[in-house]
Structures are given as C-alpha cells and as structure tokens.
Amino acid sequence: MTQLSAVPTREPATPGSTREHLSSPVTSAVLTIQSRMLAATRSFLSQHGFTEVLLPILGPVTDPGARGAKQVDIDYYGHRYKLMTSAILYKQASLTMFDKIYCIAPNVRLEPLDTTVTSRHLAEFHQIDVEMAGASRDQVMRLVEDLVGYVTTKVLADVAEEFERLGRDIQTLAQLSAGPFGRRTHTDAVATLRELGHPQNPDGEIDWAGEAMLSRLESRPFFVTDYPKGSRGFYDRENPQRPGFLRNFDLIAAEGYGELCSGSEREHDYAAIIARMRETGENPAKYAWYLEMVREGIPASAGFGIGVERLTRYIAGLDAVWQACAYPKIPGVVAP
Ligand code: AMP
Ligand code: MG
C-alpha cells in the first residue's frame, strides 16, 4: 500500500476523534480527490445520456443479496420499513421512466464483525448505481471500464498535487484508461485460488481473503464473471445457455484493494423472478410493490454499482476504506 509519507503526520489506524479526522491533511486530500471523482462521474454519465434520479433510502423491502450483512428496520408510521442496502429494485423500476439512469446512493448494511479486518467494509457507504434498459453484460462492462478510466484520468489531471501530498504512486493509475481490463470467470478464479492453497468454495462468493489474494496478483483492475447462482440475489439473470451460472460480473481492483463493483444483466420476467426469490429463500409477498411493477412490465436491463469509498480508497492508495469518508461508520464501532 502507498505510504502517506508526504504529509506531516501519518493517519492513525483508526479515525481517532472526529475533529482530528476532519482536520487531518490526509482527509482533506482524500475528500478533495473524492469530490473531483464524483464531479467526473456525473459529467461522464450525463455525456453518455444517463439521467440522475434521486432514489429512496427507505422502503418496505431492500436488496436481500448483501453478503451476510444485517438490514436495518425502522418504524414507518406503524409499518416495518428498511434502510436501503442497495437501490437495485428502484433502479429496475425507474427504467420505466428513463432508459439510462444513475444515482449516487447511500446504503446502510450492518456488516458482520469479521469485516473489521478487511480494511474495505463500512456500515454506511455510497454507490455509483447505474442501470441501462436493453443493455447486455458486455455493454455495461465496457461502460464500467470507460467510466473508471475517465474518472481516474480526470482526477489525476485536476488535482495532481493531492496525489503528491498522499504519496500515491500514479504510474499504475495512469494505466487505467489504457484499454480494456482483464476478464476471467468465477470458475477460473476459484481454480487459481485452490492452486495457491486457498480453500475457496466453488459454489459461493469469493471470500474476503480470496478476493484480496486475487487482487494482489494483478497490477490493473480485472473482471470476474459468471458467478454461481447460489452466491447472489434473485435479480442477477441466470444464463439460459449455462443454467446455474449468472450473467454477472465483479470488478476487482489491483494491488490488493479488492472488489470495486458488482453488476449484471437482470431478471425482469415475472415467473423467473418469483422462482429465483423462492430459490433464494425470499418471500415474494414482501415484495408486493416491486412484483406489481414487474407483472405490468419492466424493461430488460443491465447495470452495476461501484462503491464510492472503495474506488476512492483505490485511487488515493489508502490503507483503509474509512479514510475515504468524512464520518466513517466502521462495523461495530460507535461513531457520529
Ligand atoms: P454489492 O451489491 O454488495 O456488490 O455492493 C456494490 C458495491 O458497493 C461493491 O462492489 C463495493 O464497491 C461497495 N460495497 C459493498 N459493501 C460495502 C461496504 N460494507 N463498505 C463499503 N463499500 C461496500
Ligand atoms: Mg459485490
């Protein structure tokens, strides 16, 4: 990881007091970079015909596919509502309004306590959440490549002095816009991990340690595609040519920083969604508003979510993801 050597004091391993964190030169450099990243993201997506839609943070249901994290319930006028773990259901629904949408959306996930050692989990974070009607997986993977390349090039040009202050090696970052990222299947990634002696479950998500190992092997971000069905939520579309595997992908950063983005083609057919809900242990009755929309017809689509703090951490070369946040919520840690 990059040493924060160009700044007077090295950021501590935990945020310390709120005042200390907010007034640290590291925080100001990082959040300057993040602010330019968000401006570049909006400019790129707007140039590509995407409309920014502000999506709900509260709803009767939320994304159930959040890797062991607990959802947060709130009392909404006597009804049990959830804070959004992701905006996926609203993204699909919003395509009945515009063909290309995005949102910079806050998410709340009470991550399990074993994530405190990953350096890449927060209990509250944001996603650059994009969805495109009629798109294929390949189309949105190219969009991810172009977006990440554009944003990186733009911030390197706009605020070079902040990278210098952080001591971030910008040589590797400058290569991010130099052509497509590598692609490998989940099956292939599992085989690599097993050859390295890591006991990766072939039917599940790549575990935290496996993800970090794969990420450390590379000098550029790369895609992992075709995750097995049991590893993801009901909305990632199953491959009709390869039942049991999904038309989805993750983008994994290089240098050990791990997952940056997950995306997929989506299920949009009513019967397929009901079947997938049942297979994943979800009760369709809970999803009444969504299923009513699906029954009336939502477009086929593909989309993705890029973690804002994760992308900031990678671009700024930070030790931990909480450094990419003004008011970090580290899982299990009481914080403002
Ligand atoms: P997911 O739907 O779990 O794939 O989340 C989408 C993206 O959000 C991931 O690829 C990460 O970049 C980011 N993300 C997910 N969970 C967290 C977390 N607990 N803390 C920070 N970023 C996260
Ligand atoms: Mg993911």
Side-chain angles (χ1 to χ4, degrees), residues 106-109 121-126 309 325 327-330 336:
N107 295 159
V108 176
R109 301 182 185 177
H121 287 88
L122 293 163
E124 182 182 57
F125 61 96
H126 296 78
E309 294 81 1
C325 200
Y327 301 94
K329 301 279 192 316
I330 298 174

Side-chain angles (χ1 to χ4, degrees), residues 205 232 250 259 261-262:
E205 268 289 359
R232 294 285 161 101
D250 273 11
E259 178 190 334
C261 165
S262 288

Side-chain angles (χ1 to χ4, degrees), residues 147-321:
L147 174 60
V148 170
Y150 176 87
V151 166
T152 311
T153 308
K154 190 82 175 76
V155 290
L156 284 176
D158 281 358
V159 286
E161 66 283 4
E162 304 298 350
F163 290 92
E164 210 169 295
R165 284 174 68 197
L166 292 171
R168 174 63 163 140
D169 166 18
I170 58 170
Q171 295 306 335
T172 49
L173 286 183
Q175 293 162 20
L176 257 63
S177 53
F181 298 146
R183 288 158 161 72
R184 63 196 309 188
T185 62
H186 177 273
T187 307
D188 176 62
V190 170
T192 301
L193 286 172
R194 292 184 149 245
E195 276 160 28
L196 291 169
H198 182 72
Q200 173 60 47
N201 169 11
D203 302 318
E205 268 289 359
I206 309 282
D207 56 45
W208 313 130
E211 187 189 307
M213 282 171 88
L214 289 175
S215 173
R216 275 196 294 270
L217 295 174
E218 304 293 330
S219 59
R220 294 187 81 223
F222 60 98
F223 289 109
V224 177
T225 64
D226 301 88
Y227 284 71
K229 194 156 77 162
S231 67
R232 294 285 161 101
F234 60 78
Y235 43 80
D236 279 13
R237 181 168 165 253
E238 188 168 5
N239 186 344
Q241 270 84 52
R242 196 182 175 210
F245 292 86
L246 302 169
R247 299 269 303 158
N248 65 358
F249 64 90
D250 273 11
L251 180 70
I252 314 287
E255 304 171 62
Y257 290 98
E259 178 190 334
L260 294 176
C261 165
S262 288
S264 70
E265 286 175 17
R266 312 299 185 187
E267 296 288 3
H268 65 284
D269 173 72
Y270 182 78
I273 289 178
I274 296 278
R276 292 286 307 285
M277 281 183 171
R278 296 222 158 94
E279 282 170 15
T280 54
E282 287 301 312
N283 174 7
K286 286 193 326 193
Y287 293 86
W289 80 265
Y290 171 73
L291 288 172
E292 196 180 311
M293 288 262 348
V294 173
R295 199 187 343 233
E296 287 169 9
I298 57 168
S301 68
F304 56 84
I306 301 178
V308 173
E309 294 81 1
R310 295 262 187 107
L311 186 62
T312 309
R313 179 188 173 215
Y314 175 50
I315 289 183
L318 307 175
D319 290 335
V321 72

